[in-house]
Amino acid sequence: MALDLETREQLIDTVRRFVSERLRPLEAQVAENDAIPGEVIEEMKGLGLFGLSIPESFGGLDLSMEDECLVGVELGRTSPAFRSAFGTNVGIGSQGLVMFGTEAQKEKYLPGIASGEIITSFALTEPEAGSDSANVQTRAVRDGDHYVLNGSKRFITNANKADLFTVMARTDPSKPGGGGVSAFLVERSLPGLSVGKPEKKMGQQGAHICDVVFDNVRVPAENRLGAEGEGFKVAMQVLDRGRLHISSVCIGVAERLIADCVAYATERKQFGQAISNFQLVQGMIADSKTEALAAKALTMETARKRDAGQSVTMEAAAAKYFASEMVGRVADRAVQIFGGAGYVADYGIERLYRDVRIFRIYEGTSQIQQVVIARETLKRGG
C-alpha cells in the first residue's frame, strides 16, 4: 500500500534520524563485538521495521515497493549489519508467506513476524545449490499428514536467531530442476533441526550466517507453502522483491560513502590546498555520484512498475546487478580518496569496503543477474 506523501516523509525522516543518531555511533562497537545490542533490536521493533512489507491486517506497515526502497536507501546510510537484523523479516524470510500462504498460515505467523517476535530465515542455498538454485538436494518425503525433511543448507542469514524457516526441499526426485521442489514453513523448535555456529566472514560483522541441518524433521503438511512443486516459483517471486530491496540499500551505502568523501576531501589538505580542488579527485567523486544517481533512477522506476502490477523480473535483476556493482566501485574510490586513512579502521571506510562486497553475491550473483537479464530480454525480443 502506497503511503500518502506526508506519512511517507514522516516515516523516512524517522528512519533517517534513527540511522544518524542511534545506529551510526554504534558501528565500530557492533563490528568489534559481532553483535547488535539487544536494546537496539527492541527500538527497531518499536519503529515497525520488522513489519515494513507485512500487510496492515497482520500488524505490518504494508509499504509499497517504492516506499520500501526509499526506506531502504535511508537504512543503507549505516553499517548493513543493522538492516540485516530485520531484513529477512521484511524480504525473503516473509514474502513467500505473504504471496503464497493460506489465511491460516498468515494468521498464525505474520503478526509475530511484523512485531519482530518471530524472526524468519530463507533456507535455499546448499553445498551444491547456490547459483544453481534449482539443484536443491534437501528431500521432503510425504508421510501421512507430515513431510519428513532431510538435508542441509548453507550460509543462511539469521539462522541462529530464526524461529521460522522458509525451506526449499525436493518433493519429487523424478523431476529435474525446479519442477520437483516445494516450499515449507519449518519452525525452529521441531526435533531434528539444528543450526551450526556463525561463519567468520569478510564483512558485515553483527549479521550472522550459519548452516542448517534437517535430520528426519517432521513438518506438518499444512505448513507446505503453495502447491507441491511450486517451491521454485515461490523462491523466484520472492527474489524479485528482494533484489529491489538490496538495490536500494546499495544506493544508500553509496550516498553515505560519497558524503564521507566530500567531507574528507574538503578538509584534507595536500600541496597547500584541499584535495577536493584536484580534478582527479573530483573525477572520482563525479563518477561515484553519476553511478549512484543512475542506480537510484533505475531502482525507483522498477519499484513503481512493480507496484503497478507489471512483471519486473528483468528490471529487478538489472537494478540489483547495476546497484551492487556500483556500490563496490564507489567504496573502492572512497578508499582511494581517503588514501592511507581509508585503509585503517578509524574512519570506517575500510569496513564499508568489506561490507558491500556481499551485495554482488546474495540474492543471486552478478553473473546470475546477467543470465536473467539476457534471458528476459531475449524473451521480449529486445
Side-chain angles (χ1 to χ4, degrees):
M1 181 189 72
L3 300 176
D4 64 80
L5 196 57
E6 182 180 357
T7 304
R8 173 200 276 184
E9 289 304 316
Q10 287 176 346
L11 174 62
I12 291 173
D13 182 63
T14 298
V15 174
R16 182 179 294 140
R17 285 188 287 107
F18 181 63
V19 166
S20 64
E21 297 171 12
R22 190 73 177 102
L23 301 186
R24 284 189 61 161
L26 293 173
E27 289 175 349
Q29 175 189 322
V30 167
E32 181 69 24
N33 297 337
D34 193 22
I36 297 171
E39 61 269 21
V40 173
I41 300 293
E42 292 305 312
E43 290 170 40
M44 290 175 173
K45 292 177 182 178
L47 289 171
L49 296 180
F50 283 83
L52 293 177
S53 60
I54 307 297
E56 277 189 296
S57 57
F58 297 104
L61 298 182
D62 198 16
L63 297 188
S64 68
M65 191 73 250
E66 182 181 10
D67 290 343
E68 183 182 325
C69 284
L70 289 170
V71 172
V73 171
E74 298 304 323
L75 295 168
R77 299 185 199 280
T78 187
S79 294
F82 287 113
R83 182 212 61 89
S84 187
F86 57 85
T88 47
N89 276 38
V90 170
I92 57 178
S94 71
Q95 288 307 293
L97 178 55
V98 170
M99 295 176 192
F100 294 92
T102 64
E103 283 306 306
Q105 289 170 341
K106 291 177 181 179
E107 288 171 9
K108 182 176 182 180
Y109 296 117
L110 285 181
I113 294 171
S115 68
E117 179 186 350
I118 295 173
I119 302 299
T120 63
S121 196
F122 185 72
L124 171 61
T125 301
E126 298 180 359
E128 300 301 324
S131 293
D132 184 10
S133 54
N135 188 33
V136 168
Q137 300 300 310
T138 296
R139 287 293 312 280
V141 177
R142 186 74 182 246
D143 180 23
D145 58 359
H146 285 76
Y147 285 87
V148 180
L149 269 62
N150 281 283
S152 62
K153 300 291 182 176
R154 295 217 71 190
F155 308 140
I156 305 304
T157 301
N158 282 342
N160 57 329
K161 297 179 179 66
D163 305 290
L164 182 68
F165 296 88
T166 299
V167 180
M168 298 297 150
R170 189 165 297 282
T171 45
D172 188 348
S174 69
K175 291 182 180 177
V181 176
S182 302
F184 298 90
L185 299 168
V186 182
E187 296 181 10
R188 168 72 167 269
S189 59
L190 291 178
L193 191 157
S194 60
V195 177
K197 293 180 180 179
E199 302 279 358
K200 292 184 178 180
K201 312 189 308 301
M202 176 189 289
Q204 293 204 24
Q205 277 66 44
H208 302 138
I209 59 173
C210 312
D211 286 356
V212 183
V213 176
F214 304 92
D215 182 9
N216 290 319
V217 178
R218 294 182 64 82
V219 180
E222 64 193 30
N223 276 32
R224 192 185 64 227
L225 197 55
E228 259 199 22
E230 281 194 346
F232 199 63
K233 175 183 173 184
V234 171
M236 293 306 102
Q237 292 202 23
V238 166
L239 287 173
D240 275 356
R241 181 167 191 140
R243 285 166 179 167
L244 287 171
H245 179 94
I246 292 299
S247 300
S248 70
V249 175
C250 290
I251 294 159
V253 179
E255 290 184 351
R256 152 59 180 291
L257 285 165
I258 292 166
D260 287 352
C261 286
V262 168
Y264 183 81
T266 303
E267 296 172 1
R268 173 68 169 162
K269 289 184 170 54
Q270 290 289 284
F271 305 103
Q273 58 184 307
I275 64 171
S276 60
N277 291 334
F278 301 142
Q279 288 183 330
L280 293 177
V281 172
Q282 291 175 2
M284 287 189 282
I285 292 172
D287 286 348
S288 295
K289 186 66 174 180
T290 301
E291 290 189 60
L293 288 169
K296 193 169 190 177
L298 173 58
T299 299
M300 294 305 171
E301 178 188 21
T302 304
R304 288 188 287 270
K305 283 184 177 180
R306 189 183 186 282
D307 287 335
Q310 298 180 38
S311 173
V312 294
T313 296
M314 186 269 284
E315 291 85 352
K320 195 269 180 179
Y321 175 44
F322 186 79
S324 61
E325 293 283 340
M326 173 276 296
V327 75
R329 292 189 291 268
V330 171
D332 188 73
R333 294 185 195 112
V335 173
Q336 199 68 14
I337 290 169
F338 273 72
Y343 197 73
V344 299
D346 292 356
Y347 289 83
I349 298 299
E350 60 83 28
R351 184 181 64 244
L352 287 171
Y353 178 84
R354 289 182 287 106
D355 286 348
V356 302
R357 187 59 184 85
I358 190 64
F359 290 138
R360 285 181 267 172
I361 296 172
Y362 60 29
E363 308 278 354
T365 64
S366 290
Q367 289 65 42
I368 290 298
Q369 308 307 327
Q370 289 176 305
V371 169
V372 173
I373 295 161
R375 182 189 68 214
E376 294 299 315
T377 302
L378 290 165
K379 263 190 210 174
R380 300 181 191 186

